[in-house]
Amino acid sequence: MTTDDAAQVWALMRDFVERHSPRHRLRQALGDGLAKGRSKVQVLLMLGDGPHSLSDIAEAQRIDKPYATAIVDQLEQLGLATRTSDPDDRRRKMVALTQAGRSAVVIARDIMDEPPAVLAGLSPAELTQLAAALGRLAEQRRPRPD
């Protein structure tokens, strides 16, 4: 396979992901305020696993602390998260989901976990081949920059 072949496959992959992105369904289900920014949904999903500090959110999402604070401010304004002092270190703020936030996480996970319908049109053999190829690519993850 040549570099041109790889570029063509990459273009097809990007096009497929873009055309079948759950963004539109997320926006419909959760509203523009939440679904408009990818980072907000990612932070919401992260908080679905339990409370986190603003520093933890920034580090895990690979964003700076002021941006993490802005995202949490927006989640609070939407009634999806609350911020409290850490009982072990009152200088540190912890962010947790509200009941509405927990409900939004369930909806978002359901939408994001549902595969595009077109995948059902592939044969079991094609799905096996695709899974094997994607598995090999996933094993070769690019290291995170420090």
Side-chain angles (χ1 to χ4, degrees):
M1 182 171 260
T2 67
T3 302
D4 287 343
D5 293 332
Q8 183 178 13
V9 170
W10 177 239
L12 289 168
M13 286 173 55
R14 282 192 332 242
D15 182 59
F16 178 84
V17 169
E18 182 60 34
R19 283 188 294 122
H20 298 284
S21 169
R23 247 182 290 138
H24 303 296
R25 291 186 7 239
L26 284 169
R27 187 173 290 131
Q28 228 174 8
L30 301 174
D32 284 337
L34 180 60
K36 215 169 200 170
R38 181 177 161 222
S39 296
K40 282 185 274 189
V41 173
Q42 289 180 330
V43 170
L44 185 79
L45 293 171
M46 179 182 174
L47 293 172
D49 296 330
H52 290 278
S53 71
L54 287 167
S55 296
D56 292 342
I57 292 169
E59 184 178 329
Q61 298 300 316
R62 298 167 65 189
I63 57 178
D64 61 25
K65 289 179 187 177
Y67 187 49
T69 299
I71 291 170
V72 170
D73 287 346
Q74 293 169 12
L75 293 175
E76 281 186 308
Q77 290 170 1
L78 293 167
L80 302 173
T82 59
R83 193 179 341 207
T84 59
S85 294
D86 183 335
D88 298 326
D89 181 355
R90 298 199 50 81
R91 296 169 295 170
R92 193 165 100 143
K93 297 293 181 190
M94 297 298 291
V95 183
L97 293 176
T98 62
Q99 182 57 45
R102 287 187 289 280
S103 296
V105 165
V106 170
I107 292 167
R109 283 187 176 150
D110 285 348
I111 289 170
M112 293 177 74
D113 289 345
E114 185 179 330
V118 297
L119 286 179
L122 296 177
S123 71
E126 289 170 319
L127 287 171
T128 299
Q129 286 178 322
L130 181 58
L134 292 173
R136 283 192 306 275
L137 292 173
E139 290 171 2
Q140 300 175 22
R141 290 186 183 157
R142 187 169 34 138
R144 283 184 164 188
D146 290 328

